[in-house]
Amino acid sequence: MPKADEAPRLHYLDEPKPGTLTITYQPNGSAIQENPPRFSWLPALDDNARYALKVSRDPSFPPADTLLFEDLAWNFFTPDVTFEPGVYHWGFALWDNASKTVVSAWSSVRTFEILPGLPETPLPRAETRWEAADLRHPRLWLGPSEVGDFRECLKKDADHCGWQGFFDKSVTPWLSRDFIAEPALYPNNVRVAKLWRQMYIDCQEAIYAVRHLAIAGVILDDPALITRAREWLLAIARWDRTGATARSYNDEAAFRVVTALAWGYDWLWDHLDDTERTEVRDVLLARTREVADHVLWRARIHVFPYDSHAVRSLSAALTAACIALAGESDEAEGWLDYTIEFLFTLYSPWGDADGGWAEGPHYWMTGIAYLTETANLIKNFLDVDLYKRPFFHKTGDFPLYTKAPGTRRACFGDDSTLGDPPGVKVGYNVRQFAGVTGNPYYQWYYERLKADAAGTEMEFYNYGWWDLNFDDLVYRHDYPQIAAQAPSDLPPVKWFKDIGWVAIQKYMDDPARHIQFLFKSSTFGSLSHSHGDQNAFLLYAFGEDLAIQSGYYVAFNSTMHRNWRRQTISKNAILIDGKGQYADGDKTIAKKAGGRIVTVREEPSHVFISGDATAAYRAADPDVLRAERDVYFTASDFVVLVDRVECSGPKPVQWLFHATRPMDVGTNSFRLTGERAGLYGQFVHSTSGPPNVRLVEGFEGVDPADVEGMDTQYHIEASLPSASKHTLVTLLVPYSLDEPRRVFNFIDDQGFSADIYFTDVDDNQLRIVIPKNF
C-alpha cells in the first residue's frame, strides 16, 4: 500500500452538512462493527470527481505511517486491508488520476477505534476482484464446468437437488404456453392498481419462462427446450423498451424484464446466432442503462440511500444483467463494481449489525430475497463473499422474533400478507441464513413456516415474486442441509437497537402457549414502508392475534393505505387531541418524526421497555411536549402500559386498541373474546379523570371500494378529558380459552410510592399494586 504524501492544496474541499435523508461522514467516533470500517462522506458537486482516503494512527498523518487509498470512484469505500486494534484518524480529498496526486485540501480529520475480535470483512479492489471472473457462459448460478457436473449427477439421480419437481412444475408448463403479450400502457397513462398487478405478474412469468427453459435446456442438452427458451427470449427482447415496461413507467416491470433478458442471454449465449446475440445484448444493455442511470444519477442512493426501490434494483436487476454483459460492456462492469461496493459499504440503509430492517419483516422479505440471490451470484462469479458481514449473520433473527410462525396481523409496516400466514419466502430467506451460519433455529423457522403456509404458494405475494421450486433447486445445490432445532431455549427478549424495535417471544415452539409481543419506537419514523406507529405495540397469544395491525394492504397509496394503514389511528397507540404522528409524504419530515427506545431491561419479574415518541407527535402538533410509553411485560404474561403526555395547553388524549372482533365494553374496561384466546383490559389509573370507553367499527376515511368484500375490524377508543399533563395506566391480560378464567382485584390501599410491583396471590387471583408517585 503506498504511503500518503502531503499534497498541494489546490482546490477548496466542500464538506456539506448531512441532511435527514443523506448518508453521513463515517466512521466518526461511533462504535465500529467490522474490520475494516466502512468509510462514507458527502460527495463533491462534480459527479466525475475521484477521491483519495488517508488513514493513520497519528492525526498529523506522517507519510511513513499513513495509508493512502488512491483513485476512489465513489464517496464510499471499504478497504482491502484490515487494521490492528487501536485508535485511527482519517480524511479524504479530491484525486486526479492523470497526475496521480491529491488536488484539494484534505477534509476534516475524523477518528475511529478498532477493537479486538471484530469480524474481518475487507473488500478486494475492483482490479483484483475481476481476476477471479470466468467470462465463459453461463455465469449466473452455474459455470460451464458446474453445468457438466450437474448433468452427470442427474444421470445417477433424476431428482438431484429437487430437479424433478423443478422440471415438472417450473419448466414443462412453458413449453406449451403461448407467449406472454407485451403489457399495455394504462388507460390515459393513469396508474390502475389491478392493471399494475397484472403487468407485474406478466413480467414475473417472463422470468420463469426464459430462465427455467434455458437452464433446463442447457443442463439436459435438450435442443427442443433450448429452441423454446430462445423463442421466449427473443419475443420478450422485442417488447418496446420505452413502453409500459420501461423503468420510468413501471420500475417493477422493468426490473423483471431486465432479469429475464439477463438469464436468457447468459444461459443461451452459445445457442444464439450473431444477429440474435446482438439483438438481445443491445436491448439488455439499453434497459440496464436506464435502471443504472436512475440509481446512480437520479435517485443517487450513494447520497440518499432511503429509496427502497432504487436500492433493491441493485439486486433485483443490475447484478444479473451486469454479470451477463461482463466482457462486452465496460459500462456494465462499472455498474457491477458500484453494486458490489455499495452492498459492502452502505448496505443496508434500513438496519445495521443487529440485523433489523426498519421497513418491517414483509419488506425485509422482498429486499433480502433479492439480496441473497445477488450475494450468491457475486460469490460464484467473482469469489466475493458478502455473507461475511455481521449484518447477514444476524438478520435472520429479525423475522424469527418479529414474524413468528402462527402470527398473521401482529406485525409493523406495509405487508401484503396481512391476515394470512407469513409469506413462504420469509422462510426461504431464513433458510438461506441457516445455510450460511449453521443456525438450527433458522432451519426450524423455515420448516415450520412452510408447513403453516401450505396452499398459499400461488398467492400474489408468493408466486407473483418468486418461483419457489427454482429457489429450492439453487439452495440445495449451493448449501448444506442444516438440522432443525426448535427454539425452546431462545432468549425471550430481542432489542433491535439499529431500528428501535423490541420483541418478546415465549414458547414459540408450542403453538398453544406461544406469545409474541412487539413494541416499536424507531428513529426511522414513518419513512418509506414504515408507519406512524412509534410507541405502538402488537400482541399475539395462545394461537391468536389479539392487538393487531389494523386494515388491509390493498395497494400502495390507496385510501386504505394513505388514510388508515399509515396513520396512527390504525395503531395500538394514542392520539393527542385526535391527531396522530406525522405519516404523510414528505420524507424529510417522516424521518424526523421518529421515536426512540430509551431502555430495555430484563428483571426477574418482568421486562421493562421505555419509548419516547415525542418527536413523532410534535411533527403533527407542535404543542406536544412529551409523549412517552413504558411497558411492563410480566413473568405472568400480562402487560402494564404507562402513557405520559404533556402539552403546552390542555388537550384530550385518545388511547387505541385494535382487534379483528367486536369487544365487550365496561365503564373503565373492555374484553376481547376470540376463538382460542381472549384479552381483558382495564384502565387502572388516570391523572386527568376517568376515560370514556367506546367501541368503534370500521375504517375512518377509507373509500368503501377499498374494503369491499373484506371483514370489518374494530377498535377501543378510551378518551381522556383535556389536561396539560396526562398519565394513564392500562392493564392488559391475555388468556387462553382452554384455561380457567382469572379474577382480578385492583387495589391502591397502600398508596403510591416509587415502583410498580406484582404479587401472585393464589391460583385464581392476581393482585397488582400500583405506586402513587408514578
Side-chain angles (χ1 to χ4, degrees):
M1 178 66 62
K3 304 300 180 183
D5 295 316
E6 186 65 28
R9 298 192 172 191
L10 303 179
H11 300 294
Y12 169 71
L13 180 68
D14 185 26
E15 290 186 72
K17 183 179 179 180
T20 304
L21 301 176
T22 69
I23 64 167
T24 58
Y25 295 89
Q26 291 295 336
N28 193 16
S30 56
I32 301 299
Q33 305 290 344
E34 51 194 315
N35 186 359
R38 272 47 189 166
F39 294 90
S40 64
W41 57 92
L42 288 173
L45 292 176
D46 181 4
D47 286 336
N48 295 316
R50 301 183 82 84
Y51 304 92
L53 179 78
K54 61 180 181 180
V55 181
S56 177
R57 289 179 180 267
D58 188 332
S60 66
F61 297 97
D65 296 310
T66 299
L67 292 177
L68 179 68
F69 300 93
E70 306 170 349
D71 195 27
L72 308 181
W74 302 102
N75 58 301
F76 55 92
F77 178 62
T78 297
D80 56 349
V81 296
T82 58
F83 297 93
E84 293 296 320
V87 175
Y88 292 84
H89 312 275
W90 71 280
F92 66 94
L94 299 179
W95 175 265
D96 178 64
N97 203 37
S99 62
K100 306 293 184 184
T101 59
V102 169
V103 291
S104 77
W106 284 98
S107 70
S108 302
V109 175
R110 295 175 172 86
T111 303
F112 64 90
E113 182 179 5
I114 297 292
L115 297 176
L118 292 177
E120 296 187 351
T121 56
L123 175 64
R125 297 294 293 269
E127 57 271 20
T128 304
R129 297 196 297 265
W130 282 98
E131 292 174 359
D134 182 350
L135 294 180
R136 297 176 299 164
H137 293 278
R139 309 163 183 171
L140 299 176
W141 180 36
L142 302 179
S145 60
E146 293 169 306
V147 169
D149 293 343
F150 201 106
R151 187 181 294 137
E152 291 303 309
C153 288
L154 286 177
K155 292 178 181 178
K156 301 173 185 176
D157 176 7
D159 196 33
H160 175 63
C161 295
W163 176 267
Q164 201 60 56
F166 164 71
F167 188 85
D168 292 344
K169 297 176 182 178
S170 301
V171 177
T172 303
W174 304 107
L175 283 168
S176 57
R177 183 167 163 179
D178 290 339
F179 296 132
I180 295 170
E182 179 178 354
L185 300 171
Y186 301 123
N188 300 316
N189 289 318
V190 176
R191 184 177 180 271
V192 179
K194 183 177 180 180
L195 297 179
W196 169 85
R197 183 167 292 202
Q198 185 59 54
M199 189 185 305
Y200 199 112
I201 285 286
D202 289 343
C203 294
Q204 185 67 25
E205 290 194 321
I207 297 175
Y208 301 158
V210 173
R211 182 180 64 189
H212 302 162
L213 285 168
I215 287 173
V218 172
I219 287 178
L220 297 177
D221 196 18
D222 186 317
L225 289 172
I226 291 171
T227 296
R228 189 60 175 165
R230 190 174 70 248
E231 291 170 348
W232 269 97
L233 174 64
L234 293 171
I236 293 164
R238 288 162 187 163
W239 288 359
D240 181 4
R241 66 180 182 84
T242 65
T245 60
R247 195 226 63 84
S248 56
Y249 198 84
N250 183 335
D251 61 351
E252 294 284 15
F255 299 162
R256 285 154 176 77
V257 174
V258 167
T259 300
L261 295 175
W263 282 86
Y265 184 69
D266 178 48
W267 277 79
L268 297 173
W269 199 90
D270 291 325
H271 303 279
L272 300 170
D273 62 34
D274 289 342
T275 300
E276 293 168 337
R277 200 177 294 133
T278 299
E279 178 183 5
V280 177
R281 180 179 61 244
D282 289 352
V283 172
L284 175 58
L285 182 58
R287 284 184 174 272
T288 305
R289 183 182 296 114
E290 186 190 19
V291 175
D293 283 351
H294 177 76
V295 171
L296 273 66
W297 309 121
R298 292 179 180 82
R300 299 174 67 83
I301 61 173
H302 50 281
V303 181
F304 306 101
Y306 302 115
D307 186 321
S308 183
H309 282 216
V311 171
R312 177 157 53 84
S313 70
L314 297 178
S315 304
L318 284 185
T319 299
C322 293
I323 290 175
L325 291 166
E328 301 178 80
S329 168
D330 291 341
E331 279 184 296
E333 292 177 10
W335 298 328
L336 185 58
D337 287 337
Y338 176 94
T339 294
I340 292 171
E341 289 164 23
F342 185 97
L343 296 178
F344 249 83
T345 308
L346 298 179
Y347 195 87
S348 162
W350 306 112
D352 206 336
D354 289 333
W357 192 276
E359 295 178 300
H362 186 77
Y363 277 83
W364 178 92
M365 175 180 72
T366 58
I368 291 296
Y370 291 112
L371 185 283
T372 54
E373 181 174 320
T374 267
N376 292 337
L377 294 177
I378 290 170
K379 188 172 185 290
N380 291 340
F381 182 56
L382 293 177
D383 196 28
V384 172
D385 189 356
L386 192 61
Y387 291 124
K388 290 182 179 179
R389 297 197 64 198
F391 174 81
F392 298 108
H393 280 254
K394 292 286 187 67
T395 196
D397 284 352
F398 184 59
L400 180 68
Y401 273 92
T402 67
K403 189 97 170 173
T407 62
R408 292 172 178 256
R409 289 187 169 275
C411 185
F412 295 116
D414 284 341
D415 190 344
S416 295
T417 66
L418 206 62
D420 289 347
V424 181
K425 188 62 174 178
V426 180
Y428 276 72
N429 287 354
V430 173
R431 178 180 63 166
Q432 174 69 70
F433 294 117
V436 169
T437 67
N439 188 321
Y441 298 150
Y442 291 173
Q443 181 69 24
W444 173 89
Y445 181 91
Y446 157 75
E447 293 176 8
R448 171 73 185 278
L449 220 65
K450 186 177 180 182
D452 287 353
T456 68
E457 292 82 1
M458 297 305 294
E459 294 291 340
F460 172 73
Y461 51 75
N462 287 323
Y463 177 77
W465 288 70
W466 303 283
D467 183 294
L468 300 173
N469 304 304
F470 174 72
D471 295 347
D472 196 51
L473 175 75
V474 171
Y475 178 83
R476 291 174 63 178
H477 176 272
D478 291 354
Y479 289 91
Q481 181 73 15
I482 303 300
Q485 179 181 333
S488 56
D489 57 347
L490 188 73
V493 181
K494 182 73 172 182
W495 180 7
F496 295 95
K497 296 182 181 179
D498 50 351
I499 61 169
W501 291 40
V502 182
I504 298 174
Q505 291 286 352
K506 299 185 70 173
Y507 317 117
M508 191 192 297
D509 58 325
D510 184 351
R513 301 171 67 204
H514 179 206
I515 297 175
Q516 172 180 292
F517 180 86
L518 300 183
F519 183 80
K520 174 185 176 185
S521 202
S522 175
T523 57
F524 285 84
S526 56
L527 185 65
S528 187
H529 292 286
S530 295
H531 299 164
D533 52 10
Q534 316 322 316
N535 279 8
F537 70 92
L538 295 159
L539 177 63
Y540 167 95
F542 311 114
E544 194 155 355
D545 292 302
L546 299 175
I548 69 162
Q549 174 75 285
S550 176
Y552 298 90
Y553 195 28
V554 178
F556 190 87
N557 214 30
S558 61
T559 63
M560 166 58 79
H561 181 259
R562 186 175 61 252
N563 298 341
W564 185 263
R565 290 270 294 115
R566 287 185 59 83
Q567 304 300 326
T568 313
I569 194 173
S570 69
K571 315 303 174 189
N572 302 301
I574 63 168
L575 306 178
I576 301 175
D577 198 14
K579 297 178 183 178
Q581 304 163 20
Y582 183 86
D584 293 329
D586 189 316
K587 290 185 177 182
T588 301
I589 300 176
K591 180 69 160 58
K592 289 180 179 178
R596 65 188 181 98
I597 301 293
V598 178
T599 187
V600 177
R601 189 171 65 246
E602 295 184 65
E603 303 286 356
S605 61
H606 65 278
V607 177
F608 175 74
I609 307 167
S610 182
D612 183 349
T614 305
Y617 286 97
R618 287 201 72 186
D621 184 350
D623 292 339
V624 176
L625 304 178
R626 185 186 192 191
E628 298 172 351
R629 171 172 277 177
D630 292 342
V631 177
Y632 297 79
F633 187 99
T634 76
S636 301
D637 301 333
F638 63 87
V639 181
V640 174
L641 304 173
V642 183
D643 288 294
R644 299 181 184 88
V645 175
E646 184 175 348
C647 301
S648 59
K651 290 180 182 288
V653 165
Q654 297 81 38
W655 185 98
L656 306 176
F657 178 95
H658 292 265
T660 59
R661 300 170 179 274
M663 290 163 274
D664 299 319
V665 176
T667 303
N668 68 337
S669 64
F670 64 94
R671 187 183 296 276
L672 166 65
T673 303
E675 293 182 358
R676 287 162 286 183
L679 180 138
Y680 179 83
Q682 180 159 347
F683 304 102
V684 180
H685 177 68
S686 170
T687 59
S688 53
N692 177 29
V693 185
R694 70 187 186 110
L695 180 67
V696 182
E697 179 179 355
F699 312 100
E700 180 181 335
V702 174
D703 184 343
D706 280 359
V707 292
E708 185 176 358
M710 299 178 182
D711 292 337
T712 191
Q713 292 172 359
Y714 305 84
H715 68 269
I716 293 293
E717 180 186 278
S719 298
L720 301 178
S722 291
S724 297
K725 293 184 179 181
H726 297 267
T727 299
L728 175 65
V729 182
T730 309
L731 173 70
L732 301 175
V733 184
Y735 53 86
S736 170
L737 296 183
D738 294 330
E739 297 179 359
R741 304 267 181 112
R742 291 170 171 174
V743 177
F744 304 100
N745 288 340
F746 308 102
I747 61 173
D748 60 9
D749 51 281
Q750 293 187 18
F752 294 127
S753 56
D755 299 309
I756 263 188
Y757 62 97
F758 310 93
T759 305
D760 284 323
V761 177
D762 56 41
D763 291 339
N764 297 321
Q765 193 175 70
L766 182 69
R767 181 169 293 183
I768 171 172
V769 180
I770 302 178
K772 186 167 188 177
N773 299 324
F774 180 18

